[in-house]
Amino acid sequence: MIWNKEMECMSRDKMTELQSERLVKLVNYVYNNVEFYKKKMQAIGLKPSDIKGVEDLYKLPFTTKDDLRDNYPFGLFAVPKSKIVRVHASSGTTGKATVVGYTKNDIEAWAECVARCFSMAGISNDDIIQVAYGYGLFTGGLGAHYGAEKIGAMTVPMSTGNSKKLITMMTDFQATAIACTPSYLLHLSELIKEEDLLSTIKLKTAICGAEPWTEEMRKQIESSLNISAFDIYGLSEVMGPGVACDCKYHKGLHICEDHFLPEIVDSKTKQPLGDNQLGELVFTTLTKEGLPLIRYNTKDLTEMYHGTCDCGRTSVRIGKFKGRADDMLIIRGVNVFPSQIEAALVGLEEVSAHYHIIVDRINNLDTLEIQVEVKEEYFTDEIRSIETLTKKIAHAVNQALGLNAKIKLVEPKSLTRFEGKSVHVTDKRKLY
Amino acid sequence: MVAKQLSVFIENRQGRLGEVLAVLKENGVNILSLSLADTTEYGLLRLIVNDSQLGKEMLSKEGFSTIVSDVLVVKIDHKCGSLQGLLTILSKENINVEYMYGLSLDGDQASVVIKTSHPEKAMEILKAQKISTLTNEDLKDM
Ligand SMILES: [Zn+2]
C-alpha cells in the first residue's frame, strides 16, 4: 500500500515545484530565526531572495556535524524552547552529544514519514509490530513507535536488551512485524532456531535500519526466518528513521523528498553530482520547524537515481550505502567516532594516548575491542589490580559511548604510532 | 631485608615469553624461580633472579613493562605440613598472602616465594619465629 499517494507518486515537475516553494520558505525562515545561518549567508553575500528554487540550492552553504557541536545544545533551534516538545541526542565527534529538537508539527511529520516507510514494507493496522530499537535519546525507538501507531498497528515497545522476552512475546502475541537492526535480527533468528520456535512464530515483515547492511545479509535474514526484510534509513540530525525506505522491489530506498531534499556531492570538490554517481549524501530539511538544516552532509556515501519504480512511486531513490566519508563507525546501531574513545582515554591517567579499535561481528553481534597501552608506572604485579584497571577503562568507555567494549591491555609502546591523522580502526565486518 | 621479584607484563602472543627469557639470558641474569599467572588476554611473569636490578634495567630497555616488588623467600623443611605451619603464622598476624610459588633448593630444604600485604612486617614475624628467609644478597650467589 502507498501511504501518501499524492506525495510519493507526484510527477517530477510538480515535486520540483513543491520543493522549490518549500526551499524558498525555509531559507527565509532560517535567515530570520537562526543566527548561525544568517551569519553564514551574510558571510558569502547571499540574500534569501537569491534562492528562487531548487536550482539555487548549490549556492547555499553546507551544515556539518561540527556546526551542531559548536552550537550545542540548542543554538541551531529556530523556535523558542517553549515550542519544542521533544529532544533526542546522538553521538558527537567529541565528548559532547548532538542534540536535536522537534516541535509538535515535526513529530507529526516524522510519524508521517515512518508511516510511509512501514506501508512500503506492507505493514498495516492489521499488524502487530515489536519495536526493538532503543527507546530514549536515540531516535530509533520512539521514531519507529510513532510511525507504527500512526498506521494503526498494534505497537509493542520492546526496546533493546531482553531477547528472551522479545521472543516469548513474539510467540505469545503472534507478532507479525519487527523493527530492529539487521544484525540483531540475525542474532534473534539464531535464538529462535535454538528454541525450535521457527514454525510457531507468525513473523512476516522486518524493518531493519540504524546500521549499514548488505543485500546478502537481507537474503540471509529473509531465508532464515522466512520473512520479507526492508531497509529503513534515517539519521537524528535530519529527523530519525523514516527519511528513506526500500519497497518490495528492493531497487534503492525511496526518499520522503517532500520533507528532505537530497543531493549527492563529490567527496573532494563538494560539487553536486548527477544520477548514479557516487558521492556524499546531503539533506536539506524542507518542513522542519525545530531544527531546520540547510545542506546537512550525512557523510554517507551512496548514489541517487530518479525515475518511476516498479512499485509506482516516483520519489527519488538512493542506493545501498558504500561507506562513510569520515571515520564514524556504526556498532550495534550506535554511532561511534574514534575521537570519542580517544577523549574517554585521555581522561584516564593510567593509559597512554595510543589505542587501537577492532570491530568485528561474531554470531551476528558487533563486537568492539579497544587495545590500550597502560603506562609502565601503573603496572602492578597483581592480576587483581590489572583487572580493576581494565574495568575502570571499560566503564569510562561505556560512559562515553553507551556501548560495552572489551578492553585489552597491551604492552607499552606496542601499538603502531602514526604520523598525522591516526588510523586507529580495524573493522573486520562486511558492511558494504 | 626482603627479596626482590621482577614482574613482567606480557601479551598472550606467540613467542613473547621466549623474548623475555632471551633478554635475561643475553645479559647473564639467572632465573631461580618463576611463575606465570595468565588470563586469556595477557600474562604476568613473576621472576626471582640472581640480579633483579640488572634484569629490570635490561627488560625495560627492551620495552617490557617490568616492575620490581618486595617478596619473601622463605626456607621451609621439605616435609608434610611445613607450608601450612608457615601460613598459619602469617594469618594469625593478619598478613594476607597475595600469591605464592615454589623455589627449589638443593637437598632436603625447599623454599617458597610469598607476596604478602605487609612484606616488612611479615619478615619481622618470621624472624621472631626463627624461620629463615633469603635476601637479595643470598640470591646473588645462586
Ligand atoms: Zn519502489
Side-chain angles (χ1 to χ4, degrees):
Chain A
M1 187 202 139
I2 298 176
W3 180 259
N4 188 333
K5 213 163 191 160
E6 190 196 348
M7 290 302 169
E8 296 176 78
C9 304
M10 194 176 268
S11 73
R12 185 49 40 194
D13 287 353
K14 269 190 90 179
M15 179 55 76
T16 303
E17 198 181 308
L18 177 70
Q19 289 174 329
S20 293
E21 191 186 295
R22 288 182 172 177
L23 178 66
V24 170
K25 227 173 106 185
L26 169 82
V27 171
N28 279 282
Y29 179 68
V30 296
Y31 191 86
N32 294 319
N33 294 290
V34 186
E35 195 58 28
F36 167 81
Y37 280 119
K38 185 178 208 163
K39 279 188 185 155
K40 226 170 171 176
M41 285 172 65
Q42 282 172 344
I44 53 170
L46 194 67
K47 294 186 300 292
S49 58
D50 294 333
I51 306 301
K52 298 191 173 65
V54 289
E55 67 279 7
D56 296 321
L57 183 62
Y58 74 96
K59 295 178 182 167
L60 288 160
F62 287 101
T63 308
T64 64
K65 200 167 178 76
D66 287 343
D67 293 328
L68 289 167
R69 181 197 61 201
D70 296 343
N71 292 281
Y72 173 90
F74 306 142
L76 295 185
F77 287 12
V79 294
K81 271 174 269 178
S82 60
K83 297 279 184 211
I84 298 287
V85 299
R86 170 117 52 95
V87 291
H88 282 287
S90 66
S91 318
T93 47
T94 54
K96 269 181 190 165
T98 299
V99 180
V100 293
Y102 305 78
T103 65
K104 245 192 171 77
N105 287 337
D106 292 339
I107 296 287
E108 178 49 38
W110 185 8
E112 156 78 18
C113 292
V114 177
R116 287 185 201 174
C117 296
F118 282 12
S119 298
M120 220 178 284
I123 296 170
S124 73
N125 59 340
D126 293 328
D127 280 286
I128 300 172
I129 181 167
Q130 290 180 297
V131 177
Y133 288 118
Y135 279 66
L137 288 172
F138 173 55
T139 50
L142 284 168
H145 185 100
Y146 274 57
E149 282 192 350
K150 189 163 180 75
I151 58 172
M154 187 194 286
T155 311
V156 191
M158 296 306 309
S159 197
T160 53
N162 194 335
S163 306
K164 212 172 167 69
K165 188 184 264 177
L166 188 148
I167 293 171
T168 304
M169 289 190 170
M170 182 184 281
T171 318
D172 295 349
F173 296 1
Q174 305 220 312
T176 53
I178 187 167
C180 62
T181 62
S183 56
Y184 184 59
L185 187 54
L186 270 180
H187 175 69
L188 285 177
S189 78
E190 295 297 324
L191 298 179
I192 289 167
K193 270 180 218 162
E194 273 169 32
E195 308 243 332
D196 202 19
L197 291 170
L198 208 51
S199 54
T200 317
I201 61 166
K202 294 280 180 281
L203 198 67
K204 59 181 172 63
T205 314
I207 304 272
C208 298
E211 66 187 15
W213 50 314
T214 58
E215 191 61 14
E216 289 71 45
M217 207 168 152
R218 181 172 67 81
K219 286 177 180 146
Q220 197 188 341
I221 288 172
E222 292 188 332
S223 65
S224 69
L225 287 167
N226 195 23
I227 59 169
S228 302
F230 298 84
D231 190 359
I232 191 167
Y233 171 73
L235 63 165
S236 64
E237 294 86 341
V238 172
M239 185 179 70
V243 172
C245 189
D246 67 351
C247 65
K248 66 178 177 183
Y249 296 98
H250 303 294
K251 289 180 176 169
L253 285 72
H254 291 276
I255 294 177
C256 296
E257 59 173 319
D258 51 323
H259 291 285
F260 315 106
L261 178 59
E263 295 170 87
I264 300 287
V265 301
D266 186 89
S267 280
K268 285 204 184 74
T269 65
K270 306 296 172 196
Q271 291 303 308
L273 297 172
D275 277 13
N276 302 308
Q277 284 183 286
L278 186 68
E280 296 172 11
L281 179 60
V282 172
F283 282 110
T284 297
T285 65
L286 292 176
T287 56
K288 265 173 84 184
E289 298 175 340
L291 180 66
L293 292 177
I294 302 276
R295 304 190 82 197
Y296 181 76
N297 192 333
T298 66
K299 302 275 182 178
D300 282 319
L301 297 175
T302 186
E303 66 230 342
M304 192 161 78
Y305 31 91
H306 290 82
T308 307
C309 180
D310 296 342
C311 69
R313 290 177 182 83
T314 54
S315 44
V316 66
R317 280 166 285 162
I318 44 173
K320 277 273 182 201
F321 293 104
K322 303 288 194 299
R324 292 278 308 171
D326 62 6
D327 58 359
M328 188 181 90
L329 297 159
I330 303 176
I331 301 169
R332 281 171 248 151
V334 178
N335 297 350
V336 173
F337 291 93
S339 51
Q340 285 176 281
I341 293 172
E342 188 166 327
L345 295 178
V346 165
L348 299 168
E349 58 180 357
E350 294 92 338
V351 302
S352 82
H354 301 280
Y355 62 95
H356 192 80
I357 299 166
I358 298 171
V359 189
D360 203 349
R361 187 166 280 172
I362 296 166
N363 295 330
N364 300 311
L365 291 179
D366 291 340
T367 60
L368 169 63
E369 173 179 305
I370 305 172
Q371 298 185 340
V372 182
E373 286 180 4
V374 174
K375 291 182 190 158
E376 188 163 3
E377 60 266 37
Y378 285 98
F379 268 122
T380 78
D381 63 326
E382 284 167 30
I383 299 270
R384 193 171 33 171
S385 316
I386 297 178
E387 301 286 285
T388 305
L389 175 58
T390 308
K391 278 191 195 128
K392 182 178 171 184
I393 300 167
H395 181 72
V397 169
N398 180 284
Q399 291 291 302
L401 308 182
L403 269 180
N404 287 326
K406 178 177 153 193
I407 304 299
K408 183 175 178 184
L409 301 186
V410 298
E411 294 165 17
K413 303 186 185 76
S414 65
L415 295 175
T416 318
R417 265 57 176 161
F418 297 99
E419 296 289 327
K421 195 183 184 301
S422 306
V423 185
H424 289 297
V425 183
T426 305
D427 194 341
K428 298 177 176 171
R429 301 171 298 176
K430 281 199 165 60
L431 300 178
Y432 300 106
Chain B
M1 210 188 83
V2 293
K4 302 287 181 190
Q5 170 194 257
L6 288 182
S7 300
V8 191
F9 178 87
I10 42 179
E11 282 169 42
N12 281 356
R13 55 185 156 98
Q14 185 112 33
R16 205 56 184 150
L17 178 59
E19 287 167 37
V20 174
L21 301 180
V23 172
L24 295 176
K25 180 190 152 198
E26 278 154 26
N27 293 282
V29 178
N30 189 22
I31 299 168
L32 305 173
S33 175
L34 67 77
S35 128
L36 181 62
D38 70 322
T39 70
T40 49
E41 303 297 332
Y42 59 86
L44 268 181
L45 180 64
R46 295 162 181 150
L47 300 159
I48 299 293
V49 296
N50 64 346
D51 191 340
S52 54
Q53 198 49 45
L54 180 66
K56 149 89 181 152
E57 249 169 59
M58 292 304 146
L59 285 168
S60 293
K61 207 177 111 193
E62 293 300 322
F64 290 98
S65 266
T66 311
I67 59 160
V68 177
S69 40
D70 293 343
V71 292
L72 301 173
V73 180
V74 189
K75 280 191 183 173
I76 50 172
D77 291 336
H78 219 316
K79 68 178 192 208
C80 184
S82 60
L83 180 60
Q84 195 254 339
L86 172 66
L87 294 183
T88 309
I89 293 166
L90 292 175
S91 108
K92 264 191 194 146
E93 300 286 339
N94 288 322
I95 306 275
N96 280 332
V97 172
E98 313 280 359
Y99 56 79
M100 60 192 286
Y101 51 98
L103 186 154
S104 67
L105 296 172
D106 288 336
D108 49 2
Q109 281 262 292
S111 66
V112 280
V113 180
I114 306 181
K115 170 74 188 286
T116 66
S117 49
H118 306 86
E120 297 291 347
K121 190 181 160 198
M123 277 287 282
E124 296 304 313
I125 294 161
L126 295 180
K127 207 179 260 174
Q129 298 280 337
K130 306 236 178 320
I131 297 171
S132 52
T133 56
L134 299 178
T135 66
N136 252 19
E137 287 307 308
D138 299 328
L139 297 172
K140 269 220 152 77
D141 306 327
M142 296 174 78

